[in-house]
Amino acid sequence: MSKKVPVTLRVNGEEHELHLPPQRVLLDVIREDLNLTGTKRGCDLGTCGCCAVLVDGQPVLSCLALAKLSEGHEVTTIEGISAPGALHPVQKAFIDLGATQCGFCTPGFIVTAVAFLRDHPSATREEIARALSGNLCRCTGYVKILDAVASAARSMAPSGEA
Amino acid sequence: MHLDAFELHQPATVEEALAIASAHPGRFDFLAGGTDLLPNYKMHLNLRPQLISLDRVQELRAFRPEQGWIGSMVRLRELESSPTLRERHTALAQAASEVATPLVRASGTVGGNLLVETRCFFFNQSQPWREALGFCLKADGDRCHVVPQKERCYATFSGDLAPALMVLGARVEVAGSSGRRRLPVAELYDPKGDGIRRTLLAPGEVLVGVEVPKGDGRERSNYAKLRVRPSFDFPELGVAAALTMKDGRVERLEIALGGLEARPRLMRKETEPLVGERLTEERVRTLSEEVRRSVRPVHNTYLAPDYRRKMTGVFVRRALLALRPST
Amino acid sequence: MAGGRSEGRARRLSSDSEGGRDLVKEVEESRAAAGYHWIGQRVPLIDAALKVTGRAEYTDDLKRPGMLVGRLLKSTQPHAKLLAVDVAEARRLPGVAAVLTGERYPTPFGVLPMTHDETALALGRVRFLGEHVAAVAAVDEETCERAFGRIRVEYEPLPVYDDPKVSRESVKVQIHARALRDTNLQKEVFQHFGDVPGEIARAPFKVKVSGKYLGVTHGFTEPHCTIAESTPDGRLTVWSATQVPHYLHRSLSEVLGIPMHRIRVVKPEVGGGFGGKSDPFPHEIACAALAIETGRPVKVLFDREDVFYLNHGRHPTLNQVTITAGEDGGFRAMDLEALIDGGAWSSFGTVSTYYNGVLAMGPYRFDHFRYHGWRAYTNHPPSGAMRAHGGTNLRYTVESAVDELAVELGWDPIELRLRNFLTPNCKTINEFRITSNSVRQCILAARERSGWDRKFRQLPYGRGIGVACGFYISGSNSPIHFTPVFPQCTVHLKADMDAGITIHCGAADIGQGSKTVLAQVVAEVLGIRMDRCRVAPVDSDTAPVDLGSYSSRVTFMMGNAARSAAENLKLPLLQAASELLGHPVEALEASQERIHLRGRPEVGVPFVQALHKAIERRGALVASGAYSTSPLGGTFKGAKAGTAPAYSFSAYVAEVDVDVETGFVKVEKVWAAFDCGRPLNPLSVEGQIEGSIHMGLGQLLSEGLSYRGARLMNPSFLDYKILTPQQMPEVECLLVGEDDPEGPFGAKEAGEGPLVAALPAVGNAIYDAIGLRFLDLPITPDKVVRALEGQQKKGGGVKPAPPTRPSSVGRGTSGSA
Ligand SMILES: Cc1cc2nc3c(=O)[nH]c(=O)nc-3n(C[C@H](O)[C@H](O)[C@H](O)COP(=O)(O)OP(=O)(O)OC[C@H]3O[C@@H](n4cnc5c(N)ncnc54)[C@H](O)[C@@H]3O)c2cc1C
Ligand code: SF4
Ligand code: FES
Ligand code: FES
């Protein structure tokens, strides 16, 4: 069909040599070519945050990013947030505090929150809400999501600061 | 949803970008962060077969807030988190921080924001949606569904940065095949345009960056945005104001509005008479009223136009009262 | 803020009211006395670890070898005859494997057996913009779209009906042949108990309130997705994002003409439903049809716009209620009308029409009730069941009327409600059997915690507090498929040498946590660790039938079925332990991973030992349990509608801040007192309440399907405005329900009921703040400003007058619950 171009992607520390039509967005490549289905497709138009992944540590919308333009950058998906068998404190808090219900928005929230807490370890609840204001959740009403991120922040704070 | 096939170019310099553009007249788009262009492409709005990504053009990424220089490819996230901007050019940092969502701001750029496509209920819809109704002037059709006629488009300019940059007296640098030029942001938008073309840029011109006058630190500015939700939503009204006082009198006062009409507007006619005057509450009130009276929103966004008009008065008043030195 | 300066008074009040009782603490203590190990614990969802790591598998995450992409072509006309759908050219396009049109599978279907008016693809007629007229299976999405370009659809436009009021009258063209008389009505309901007109004529106090509601939609984050595969052994497998695998199973069989036993329906994880995935859908059947046609697996994935067109959300509604009261403040009569816009299909419409009336009275007692309801077909996308189906718009109008009546009477609205609550163990005039009912405790707790007495009518102009109550069914008593009489829910358990318990149940976990409830119940009964319990995926080949995640029935019905299955599994374990220990079965109990003498864990055997003994020579233990409802309700027409084995109750107080210049309403806090009986998992219950409040406030403030004519103007998450994290108020959940006598471990529903009081509590708070009542939802800032201007013209904004009747409750008279 359409012309393909070589694309080298680094995703979760692994390098992938791919041949892709240049119009493929990162979301499609991650889900369909790399079989990393943890990243979700909620709207395809930048309006829900389900597809968030980290590019060089910053959360971006993979439904609005051309895969080709992610070359030379480090992509991290929900699958790469924690080592196998381990959980990131944000993930742990999501479980314990009931911050996931249907779970479809959850990967997007988690990657966004992980990046945010890394840069703002002592964020307030308002700041967390603002940082997550590009992610929609229809199940939880966000209350427990904010609880979980705030609690993860406390658990990650060097002792004495919490 | 998928994107239709296009050829992707990744020039490394402005000159290369211009050369590719001139090789494909009328058949290309520049691509910055893609947060405006790609959703529109997914909806099959004015597709072009060639996309020229500005991603690799290092020059466009320069960000020197101390010197008042912001490259067109600087991300909105960088603007909102710059302490210098927040302090010196508050309106700009505020406007940047209110665009879309944090996830969009991570990719969205300054250039893309200034050149963001105008918006309308009947335009920002999928191809099948528009086809079912009948295409409109702005894409593939020959009539307007908002103001029935066949000449003009009334789609709303919905970028947040433009009004802020306007009141700050910023200039854009534009590169074209005939060289580079600088012009005030306010002059980027065509007052006599048909509402379809967004700016006075010549086809194939690249926006290089924005120069914000450094000033002497006396200027105070702010930006306030009317929208239903505190994130996601485009402005239903954006009010930027900048004020410099001297000896208790107005030395410089600018107000610019976005989210209301087909282009952002600097309200010189209304603000000029106040130069040299004291900014009494009474004057603020009269000015807000005048600004309100001069705007003409149409019904193509979520909130009713009469309301957006009324809020123009409220927002202008609030902005000025907040900027006025507290005495 | 407001609270700060009256601290002192607040403290005094809290020790005054209810004689210093802390209702929340009291129920918690009484619950603890039951001594359960898992029940009532804040248990994280058992699948949460999969969800937070991206490992949970939703339908779109699945791939089958050789899978094709299926896409559906939307109609460009809202109402038209389909003169021709010419697909010949599309079929010839390379990469296209099949193109189907409506004629291929003409059998009509629908969720309710009586109102089958949908087909897999439009047949002869399209009835809304976006209805599917053809299905394509091809190698990729691009090819599908190219094929669409080659399908020639010839329409002959028909009159478009976009106003339910017009549909109620005599019409030129009926949208469906089955519409009533010569109208476009899908259903009409009339009920009358007592003497409503007489009461209205006599009443010393009465209020009449009309409400107008835009349609709203579920807005789940996972778009619809279905995969189907037809294999050479004559079997069909369908994976689908569905809330009710069983309805899909039936409809596939009916329409495709394949016996149910050769169809397998699998429900992967579902990314939210809220009622919007409970109908069997045309696209699911079309997907299966494509798979049969091509012999290859096919996946149909919706884009967000398709999701908006399929809709099945809450009906656009016009309703009107008159409530009368005597001099003593006692409610007497309720007169109610509701006209709901059903859109193009019946869906759950017959039920919706009933629910929009019969759920109106609870939690209050009325002796006279009249309801006239109509559901109109229009050329809008179909409406259907959405969280708190039928009970939401109705509740807003009724609770606004109750608030208004309190003003009329000069009463505090909480006292007026206290005066009029249904008691526990009573029967309503329309013959609902009420058993457990803690609405009184709910309103007292909310009043206490919110500081109501020092805030109501006392906050500054622009700031307000409001109250509203709620009532909802805990499971519909009559299942949709009621002959022959199958149980509502069945659970199978299997315990084998690995000492794990596999739980099979057809109930769909759509994020609400029903799998976790299953594991909790089974672990509780068997006295074992929860991680021994694994809940098998819902697969019609192995899971016994459940009649679905709707009508808030899962916890109640599945919980009871699971409990009974676990009791049945426990029996052989007790017998084995009895053999090992030499104590009679009756003397034993199971707890702490042991089977032991009652109250003496040290005299016993480990669970694993008992299990191994029990399966000696007989193999894995299997047990089954089921739950059936017993007959309820009167004998009049429609008497079964709204009957439930139990009801949830609630009382919410909300505090708001209105910017009187811009019209923006900020909800500061909601005190949500909810009676779900004993909460099996408070963590989940709170999650349901918080999520419900989010959804309710969205409908109240900004959500709404906006139509121009028959055209949906906002089929996107940008223009359909769901609240964002920054807009959520603080929520305090007060779970004060007493145990329900029939619910599993005393539990009742908490999935839908928590929604209904949220909207009117805020609406009434807005009234308290600025003296304006908004009965036209959503309450967008432009509406607020327009109303404030009207108020200005009449002399300016002031707070409504405080109640004139001295407060009695809280001094022990009617407050003693
Ligand atoms: C959900 C959502 C919400 C949004 N809300 C807002 C909002 O509230 N306010 C707002 O202002 N915007 C909003 N946007 C639009 C958009 O994200 C921003 O305007 C963003 O700043 C655009 O920048 P970009 O780099 O992504 O632009 P792109 O999409 O890359 O480009 C936009 C246009 O500018 C042209 N262009 C870009 N850079 C140059 C250049 N250097 N030279 C010449 N032409 C150029 C492109 O050709 C294109 O026509 C929203 C978008 C989404 C998806
Ligand atoms: S204003 Fe008119 S021409 Fe412009 S986009 Fe809207 S409908 Fe089209
Ligand atoms: S899928 Fe990317 S934002 Fe919704
Ligand atoms: S958990 Fe379901 S959308 Fe967030």
Side-chain angles (χ1 to χ4, degrees):
Chain A
M1 311 262 122
S2 45
K3 223 169 63 188
K4 292 187 176 178
V5 295
V7 178
T8 308
L9 280 184
R10 262 185 86 78
V11 180
N12 300 333
E14 235 178 273
E15 197 141 301
H16 302 269
E17 310 264 350
L18 304 160
H19 272 266
L20 303 169
Q23 72 270 18
R24 297 264 296 172
V25 294
L26 189 56
L27 176 63
D28 291 349
V29 175
I30 290 170
R31 287 184 54 83
E32 284 151 31
D33 300 83
L34 305 183
N35 264 320
L36 295 167
T37 54
T39 306
K40 300 300 181 209
R41 183 194 310 276
C43 72
D44 250 340
L45 289 170
T47 57
C48 74
C50 289
C51 67
V53 300
L54 304 182
V55 173
D56 295 336
Q58 290 302 325
V60 302
L61 298 170
S62 63
C63 70
L64 297 184
L66 296 183
K68 177 72 184 163
L69 300 183
S70 309
E71 273 188 323
H73 300 281
E74 180 72 47
V75 178
T76 310
T77 67
I78 184 70
E79 289 88 350
I81 286 294
S82 49
L87 289 174
H88 188 278
V90 171
Q91 291 172 314
K92 177 99 179 51
F94 263 63
I95 297 175
D96 293 342
L97 301 184
T100 178
Q101 287 185 26
C102 82
F104 202 77
C105 70
T106 306
F109 270 100
I110 288 183
V111 299
T112 310
V114 163
F116 178 71
L117 288 189
R118 182 199 58 218
D119 297 340
H120 306 86
S122 46
T124 63
R125 201 176 163 94
E126 284 72 45
E127 288 163 346
I128 294 169
R130 193 177 140 73
L132 299 178
S133 66
N135 299 74
L136 285 183
C137 173
R138 191 55 157 175
C139 298
T140 62
Y142 309 108
V143 176
K144 300 213 180 303
I145 293 179
L146 300 183
D147 288 348
V149 178
S151 141
R154 284 192 302 274
S155 77
M156 284 154 68
S159 50
E161 229 183 80
Chain B
M1 288 183 112
H2 66 97
L3 289 162
D4 273 7
F6 48 69
E7 206 174 323
L8 182 67
H9 306 267
Q10 295 178 278
T13 64
V14 171
E15 288 62 38
E16 267 177 59
L18 293 172
I20 300 168
S22 57
H24 301 280
R27 308 189 67 235
F28 70 90
D29 266 321
F30 290 117
L31 176 70
T35 59
D36 186 45
L37 196 77
L38 296 183
N40 287 349
Y41 267 37
K42 285 187 175 181
M43 295 188 164
H44 287 207
L45 289 163
N46 300 324
L47 302 182
R48 303 277 183 270
Q50 308 288 330
L51 265 199
I52 308 171
S53 165
L54 301 174
D55 204 49
R56 291 201 181 152
V57 183
Q58 278 312 316
E59 179 188 353
L60 304 182
R61 300 194 157 235
F63 184 37
R64 296 186 293 272
E66 295 75 21
Q67 282 120 51
W69 179 257
I70 306 165
S72 68
M73 285 297 287
V74 171
R75 313 278 158 176
L76 299 174
R77 177 192 301 244
E78 296 174 66
L79 291 200
E80 64 176 312
S81 50
S82 154
T84 314
L85 289 191
R86 262 190 290 187
E87 199 187 303
R88 280 197 214 155
H89 307 300
T90 317
L92 181 58
Q94 279 175 348
S97 75
E98 300 229 2
V99 173
T101 71
L103 295 168
V104 170
R105 298 198 291 273
S107 308
T109 66
V110 174
N113 196 273
L114 285 173
L115 301 176
V116 68
E117 183 60 281
T118 53
R119 300 184 65 82
C120 169
F121 266 167
F122 298 94
F123 174 71
N124 298 100
Q125 302 281 3
S126 70
Q127 159 118 13
W129 194 101
R130 290 179 292 117
E131 197 176 347
L133 176 66
F135 293 117
C136 83
L137 272 175
K138 199 170 162 68
D140 311 319
D142 63 356
R143 60 205 146 122
C144 173
H145 301 297
V146 176
V147 183
Q149 39 79 49
K150 289 169 183 274
E151 269 75 56
R152 253 197 76 84
C153 163
Y154 290 84
T156 303
F157 178 84
S158 308
D160 281 301
L161 297 193
L165 286 168
M166 284 170 149
V167 299
L168 297 173
R171 296 162 71 81
V172 286
E173 181 171 316
V174 173
S177 42
S178 49
R180 298 196 176 202
R181 60 193 171 112
R182 287 198 181 188
L183 69 161
V185 172
E187 286 170 26
L188 198 55
Y189 306 97
D190 187 354
K192 294 194 216 58
D194 58 5
I196 294 175
R197 252 189 65 207
R198 307 193 284 279
T199 66
L200 284 169
L201 288 190
E205 282 188 314
V206 169
L207 209 151
V208 178
V210 188
E211 181 197 10
V212 191
K214 269 180 293 178
D216 54 10
R218 287 183 304 131
E219 181 182 65
R220 301 182 63 200
S221 64
N222 61 18
Y223 179 78
K225 174 170 177 174
L226 174 71
R227 53 171 159 179
V228 179
R229 300 177 294 179
S231 62
F232 288 105
D233 296 347
F234 281 88
E236 299 270 340
L237 161 69
V239 174
L243 174 68
T244 314
M245 298 289 286
K246 191 173 181 185
D247 305 331
R249 288 173 189 275
V250 173
E251 181 180 308
R252 181 175 173 276
L253 171 64
E254 300 282 13
I255 293 170
L257 308 177
L260 276 179
E261 299 169 334
R263 65 186 175 99
R265 258 207 297 153
L266 200 53
M267 309 307 283
R268 270 281 161 74
K269 194 159 113 295
E270 287 76 10
T271 54
E272 205 130 62
L274 271 90
V275 173
E277 302 288 327
R278 290 191 186 282
L279 203 55
T280 60
E281 218 170 306
E282 181 54 35
R283 283 223 174 81
V284 168
R285 234 166 258 285
T286 329
L287 174 61
S288 324
E289 188 50 25
E290 280 168 15
V291 172
R292 182 190 70 78
R293 259 187 273 128
S294 83
V295 299
R296 300 265 176 281
V298 295
H299 195 14
N300 60 2
T301 65
Y302 183 90
L303 294 166
D306 64 324
Y307 171 77
R308 283 155 69 210
R309 205 164 168 220
K310 192 163 307 142
M311 287 309 108
T312 308
V314 173
F315 274 51
V316 168
R317 194 190 76 234
R318 287 186 177 182
L320 294 184
L321 291 181
L323 289 181
R324 230 167 44 133
S326 43
T327 38
Chain C
M1 288 251 114
R5 72 188 134 75
S6 33
E7 266 305 274
R9 197 168 158 232
R11 219 169 286 127
R12 192 172 48 82
L13 255 179
S14 74
S15 53
D16 268 11
S17 60
E18 290 298 284
R21 288 164 60 190
D22 182 336
L23 283 164
V24 180
K25 213 164 130 211
E26 268 178 44
V27 256
E28 276 169 5
E29 280 166 7
S30 87
R31 279 187 201 135
Y36 294 129
H37 190 81
W38 292 113
I39 297 301
Q41 296 302 311
R42 302 177 70 84
V43 179
L45 297 188
I46 57 173
D47 51 8
L50 298 177
K51 288 172 174 167
V52 303
T53 51
R55 299 289 287 274
E57 286 192 319
Y58 302 79
T59 306
D60 187 34
D61 300 339
L62 307 176
K63 263 189 192 171
R64 301 291 305 160
M67 190 163 75
L68 295 167
V69 172
R71 285 291 183 274
L72 306 163
L73 177 64
K74 297 193 253 277
S75 83
T76 56
Q77 290 282 331
H79 197 196
K81 273 193 193 153
L82 273 179
L83 298 182
V85 185
D86 180 354
V87 299
E89 242 196 278
R91 284 206 174 115
R92 282 197 292 273
L93 191 72
V96 170
V99 185
L100 292 180
T101 57
E103 289 76 31
R104 184 74 182 79
Y105 291 103
T107 309
F109 71 97
V111 63
L112 301 187
M114 307 294 288
T115 55
H116 284 187
D117 59 9
E118 302 171 40
T119 46
L121 293 164
L123 183 61
R125 179 117 62 116
V126 291
R127 295 179 171 86
F128 64 97
L129 266 170
E131 183 172 0
H132 296 132
V133 294
V136 176
V139 289
D140 56 21
E141 192 183 332
E142 288 85 337
T143 311
C144 288
E145 281 182 13
R146 229 169 294 132
F148 287 168
R150 303 191 181 195
I151 297 177
R152 207 177 43 82
V153 187
E154 217 179 298
Y155 298 100
E156 180 184 306
L158 293 169
V160 174
Y161 297 96
D162 60 3
D163 179 354
K165 287 207 271 292
V166 172
S167 290
R168 190 161 55 176
E169 309 299 325
S170 161
V171 293
K172 268 227 291 289
V173 180
Q174 292 193 302
I175 293 173
H176 288 280
R178 62 167 306 283
L180 304 179
R181 304 181 293 271
D182 58 345
T183 69
N184 263 329
L185 285 175
Q186 183 250 318
K187 177 77 187 169
E188 181 168 357
V189 169
F190 183 79
Q191 292 188 340
H192 191 179
F193 304 91
D195 171 21
V196 170
E199 279 295 323
I200 292 179
R202 283 190 291 276
F205 292 99
K206 63 188 152 212
V207 293
K208 183 172 184 174
V209 165
S210 312
K212 182 177 171 205
Y213 305 84
L214 286 189
V216 289
T217 199
H218 318 84
F220 37 74
T221 46
E222 179 206 25
H224 298 281
C225 186
T226 302
I227 299 174
E229 183 170 1
S230 163
T231 40
D233 54 2
R235 290 180 183 269
L236 173 72
T237 304
V238 175
W239 294 261
S240 197
T242 176
Q243 281 176 249
V244 195
H246 182 65
Y247 295 168
L248 175 58
H249 200 172
R250 281 179 180 247
S251 301
L252 286 165
S253 169
E254 281 165 23
V255 179
L256 301 171
I258 303 172
M260 279 177 80
H261 68 266
R262 283 205 277 121
I263 301 175
R264 173 179 168 225
V265 175
V266 184
K267 180 210 74 88
E269 289 303 333
V270 173
F274 315 111
K277 292 172 180 167
S278 49
D279 293 60
F281 288 120
H283 71 268
E284 297 177 299
I285 297 170
C287 179
L290 287 171
I292 293 168
E293 199 76 8
T294 58
R296 287 169 66 178
V298 176
K299 179 190 281 183
V300 168
L301 169 66
F302 272 23
D303 62 30
R304 188 47 64 181
E305 187 178 345
D306 289 326
V307 179
F308 276 93
Y309 292 137
L310 189 62
N311 183 27
H312 286 72
R314 199 180 311 297
H315 292 66
T317 304
L318 294 169
N319 61 19
Q320 189 173 76
V321 68
T322 302
I323 295 179
T324 73
E327 300 282 356
D328 59 353
F331 294 168
R332 311 259 326 146
M334 177 187 278
D335 196 12
L336 178 71
E337 283 188 3
L339 170 60
I340 60 177
D341 177 352
W345 294 333
S346 286
S347 178
F348 281 92
T350 301
V351 179
S352 318
T353 318
Y354 276 111
Y355 279 9
N356 267 281
V358 302
L359 299 177
M361 285 182 285
Y364 310 112
R365 182 189 154 147
F366 283 87
D367 292 336
H368 307 268
F369 176 65
R370 183 167 69 175
Y371 170 54
H372 202 161
W374 303 265
R375 183 177 187 268
Y377 283 127
T378 64
N379 297 115
H380 287 151
S383 305
M386 176 167 160
R387 196 180 216 169
H389 180 196
T392 304
N393 297 346
L394 160 85
R395 183 66 23 214
Y396 187 81
T397 305
V398 168
E399 293 295 319
S400 301
V402 171
D403 213 53
E404 198 57 43
L405 191 58
V407 174
E408 199 81 355
L409 283 157
W411 282 41
D412 178 304
I414 289 189
E415 295 205 27
L416 182 62
R417 286 176 168 85
L418 280 164
R419 165 74 181 72
N420 285 291
F421 283 141
L422 292 167
T423 59
N425 305 311
C426 69
K427 204 173 228 179
T428 65
I429 176 99
N430 59 343
E431 299 191 48
F432 291 175
R433 182 198 68 163
I434 306 295
T435 50
S436 68
N437 169 2
S438 304
V439 68
R440 176 172 291 275
Q441 289 89 321
C442 285
I443 207 165
L444 291 173
R447 171 173 175 261
E448 167 71 29
R449 290 291 175 105
S450 63
W452 175 270
D453 291 344
R454 66 188 151 80
K455 290 179 180 167
F456 180 66
R457 297 291 191 259
Q458 296 159 60
L459 299 171
Y461 180 71
R463 183 110 186 166
I465 192 164
V467 67
C469 290
F471 166 81
Y472 206 69
I473 52 173
S474 185
S476 164
N477 204 66
S478 9
I480 288 173
H481 299 281
F482 49 85
T483 45
V485 187
F486 294 124
Q488 293 254 20
C489 182
T490 308
V491 170
H492 290 173
L493 302 176
K494 183 203 83 174
D496 212 337
M497 295 169 218
D498 61 1
I501 318 286
T502 310
I503 306 174
H504 292 281
C505 176
D509 195 327
I510 52 173
Q512 83 281 38
S514 68
K515 279 190 274 190
T516 307
V517 167
L518 276 174
Q520 271 181 286
V521 168
V522 171
E524 182 71 45
V525 173
L526 298 179
I528 54 176
R529 288 203 312 264
M530 256 180 78
D531 68 0
R532 288 198 188 279
C533 301
R534 49 199 176 213
V535 181
V538 176
D539 177 335
S540 64
D541 275 3
T542 51
V545 168
D546 172 83
L547 294 173
S549 291
Y550 65 96
S551 285
S552 282
R553 49 184 296 292
V554 173
T555 291
F556 201 94
M557 303 192 178
M558 180 202 74
N560 274 324
R563 186 176 191 175
S564 125
E567 294 290 356
N568 292 340
L569 189 81
K570 189 158 95 175
L571 217 60
L573 293 170
L574 293 180
Q575 279 156 355
S578 153
E579 259 181 65
L580 292 169
L581 292 165
H583 290 289
V585 164
E586 306 76 62
L588 301 179
E589 68 175 346
S591 82
Q592 301 170 44
E593 290 269 315
R594 289 170 71 76
I595 301 199
H596 56 80
L597 266 185
R598 234 168 248 290
R600 295 184 58 195
E602 70 285 358
V603 190
V605 292
F607 166 79
V608 180
Q609 198 185 335
L611 174 65
H612 285 170
K613 175 78 186 162
I615 62 183
E616 253 178 28
R617 274 189 289 278
R618 76 182 243 194
L621 293 185
V622 289
S624 150
Y627 175 80
S628 303
T629 40
S630 39
L632 287 176
T635 48
F636 55 92
K637 186 168 188 321
K640 303 290 174 235
T643 59
Y647 296 88
S648 70
F649 294 87
S650 58
Y652 285 17
V653 169
E655 193 169 335
V656 302
D657 197 274
V658 182
D659 182 328
V660 293
E661 225 175 4
T662 63
F664 273 77
V665 173
K666 181 164 194 293
V667 184
E668 302 280 352
K669 181 158 181 181
V670 177
W671 292 266
F674 193 75
D675 166 19
C676 58
R678 176 186 295 264
L680 295 185
N681 184 353
L683 193 63
S684 290
V685 172
E686 288 165 15
Q688 292 296 313
I689 292 176
E690 289 152 3
S692 290
I693 288 173
H694 169 259
M695 197 175 267
L697 299 188
Q699 176 176 3
L700 189 80
L701 299 175
S702 57
E703 289 177 36
L705 296 173
S706 138
Y707 293 101
R708 292 207 188 165
R711 191 175 312 277
L712 182 58
M713 295 300 290
N714 55 346
S716 72
F717 272 163
L718 191 58
D719 295 322
Y720 181 87
K721 300 192 185 296
I722 288 173
L723 301 190
T724 67
Q726 289 166 291
Q727 292 174 282
M728 265 304 277
E730 192 186 332
V731 176
E732 189 173 329
C733 298
L734 307 164
L735 305 179
V736 292
E738 284 170 359
D739 281 10
D740 182 82
E742 294 177 20
F745 301 95
K748 298 189 283 189
E749 74 95 14
E752 305 190 72
L755 178 78
V756 297
L759 297 84
V762 175
N764 292 340
I766 295 174
Y767 179 78
D768 182 50
I770 55 176
L772 291 168
R773 202 172 281 294
F774 292 89
L775 288 151
D776 175 5
L777 263 49
I779 309 172
T780 50
D782 43 351
K783 282 185 195 162
V784 175
V785 165
R786 216 168 297 138
L788 283 162
E789 272 170 8
Q791 196 184 42
Q792 286 298 327
K793 284 196 193 111
K794 287 190 210 131
V798 282
K799 297 280 287 191
T804 48
R805 182 175 177 268
S807 167
S808 60
V809 189
R811 314 228 156 70
T813 46
S814 54
S816 44

